Amino acid sequence: IKEIFKDIEIEELNYENDGEYIRKVLLMFNLITILKNHKSNLRFQFDRYKKQKWDIEHIRSQADKYPKSDKEKEEWVDDILKLPNIEKTKDIILKMEKKDFNNFFDEMQEKIEGKDNDFDKHSIGNLTLLDSVTNRGYGNAFFSIKRKTIIENDKKGTFIPICTKNLFLKYYSKNATDLQKWTEEDAKDYKSAILETFEELKNGAKNEKQ
């Protein structure tokens, strides 16, 4: 296992080019997290992981990934209307011209997720494992909506990998002032937790040789 990761530069991984490596890193991050907690009876559900389809999901949505099909757009609108203080109706939003809809999408993203939108969305600090059922078809819900869905599905007994659940509850964030947004600082703290975990794995290999 240690041989698999010895040449992987985790900080350099990118969603667009390194999907296979990212999946291995995220899976191992979950396994080590469970193994480190000796007092917990938590187990990784390999049967579900093997049988279900799993996606590498962006934690914070990509600014340039607008819903394209009518189905994706309708799902996105249904989620948006669950949030408070949305003045437009579903019918009005769905009838918007493409340019107007994209402007509305950008407006909602800034309103819901804030202006902090310049960090690399394809880096490991913004990626996690999510089953394809939870990860809605359009795959671009805002963080607050994803967080709500994760919590609801966890209550129903849906298998949510421990690290995916932890990040949506902001356990890795050192200064979690807003639970409804995923900021650049949150992404850095999450990435640091992954790097520290793999540093421990590497140091463990050195200690065994000694």
Side-chain angles (χ1 to χ4, degrees):
I1 290 174
K2 289 163 185 171
E3 283 293 309
I4 293 173
F5 296 101
K6 71 174 185 178
D7 295 324
I8 297 178
E9 296 294 335
I10 296 176
E11 287 194 81
E12 304 300 322
L13 294 177
N14 186 280
Y15 174 82
E16 295 181 319
N17 304 313
D18 305 309
E20 180 184 351
Y21 291 138
I22 290 171
R23 189 178 297 276
K24 289 178 180 178
V25 167
L26 293 175
L27 175 59
M28 196 63 195
F29 181 44
N30 277 275
L31 298 180
I32 296 174
T33 298
I34 292 173
L35 291 171
K36 282 170 61 179
N37 191 343
H38 301 295
K39 295 182 179 180
S40 173
N41 62 358
L42 185 66
R43 297 290 184 268
F44 191 87
Q45 297 184 33
F46 283 102
D47 56 338
R48 294 197 192 182
Y49 184 79
K50 186 71 175 175
K51 293 174 183 176
Q52 296 173 351
K53 186 179 185 307
W54 290 81
D55 299 328
I56 299 170
E57 166 68 348
H58 289 81
I59 301 167
R60 178 160 175 163
S61 59
Q62 306 168 69
D64 59 346
K65 189 180 179 185
Y66 304 107
K68 294 181 174 62
S69 69
D70 291 340
K71 181 176 181 293
E72 290 177 354
K73 188 179 291 188
E74 188 165 352
E75 287 177 342
W76 183 83
V77 172
D78 285 341
D79 274 346
I80 285 297
L81 293 177
K82 294 174 185 175
L83 300 174
N85 302 321
I86 305 299
E87 297 175 358
K88 291 180 172 59
T89 65
K90 180 175 181 177
D91 190 53
I92 290 174
I93 298 171
L94 290 176
K95 287 182 178 179
M96 287 178 176
E97 296 294 330
K98 181 178 180 182
K99 181 180 178 181
D100 293 332
F101 178 84
N102 289 352
N103 287 337
F104 178 70
F105 181 97
D106 292 338
E107 179 187 324
M108 287 296 99
Q109 182 171 56
E110 184 172 318
K111 179 180 179 180
I112 296 167
E113 298 196 321
K115 295 181 179 180
D116 175 21
N117 198 40
D118 295 330
F119 64 96
D120 184 3
K121 303 298 188 307
H122 295 324
S123 68
I124 196 73
N126 194 49
L127 302 172
T128 191
L129 289 175
L130 206 58
D131 68 282
S132 57
V133 175
T134 302
N135 182 20
R136 299 285 294 277
Y138 57 87
N140 202 29
F142 296 139
F143 178 80
S144 58
I145 295 170
K146 290 177 183 174
R147 183 177 187 274
K148 186 171 182 286
T149 303
I150 290 288
I151 293 172
E152 288 175 352
N153 286 359
D154 189 46
K155 288 178 180 177
K156 295 174 185 175
T158 301
F159 171 48
I160 309 292
I162 183 64
C163 296
T164 299
K165 184 160 62 173
N166 285 350
L167 75 87
F168 277 101
L169 295 176
K170 291 216 174 184
Y171 287 172
Y172 303 114
S173 301
K174 296 175 182 177
N175 187 28
T177 55
D178 191 341
L179 296 178
Q180 302 305 315
K181 298 176 182 176
W182 186 254
T183 66
E184 182 177 8
E185 200 63 35
D186 292 322
K188 287 179 180 177
D189 291 341
Y190 172 55
K191 181 177 74 173
S192 294
I194 295 174
L195 293 173
E196 287 171 11
T197 297
F198 278 85
E199 190 63 29
E200 292 172 9
L201 181 68
K202 185 166 67 174
N203 290 337
K206 290 179 182 178
N207 293 335
E208 285 177 10
K209 290 178 183 177
Q210 292 173 358

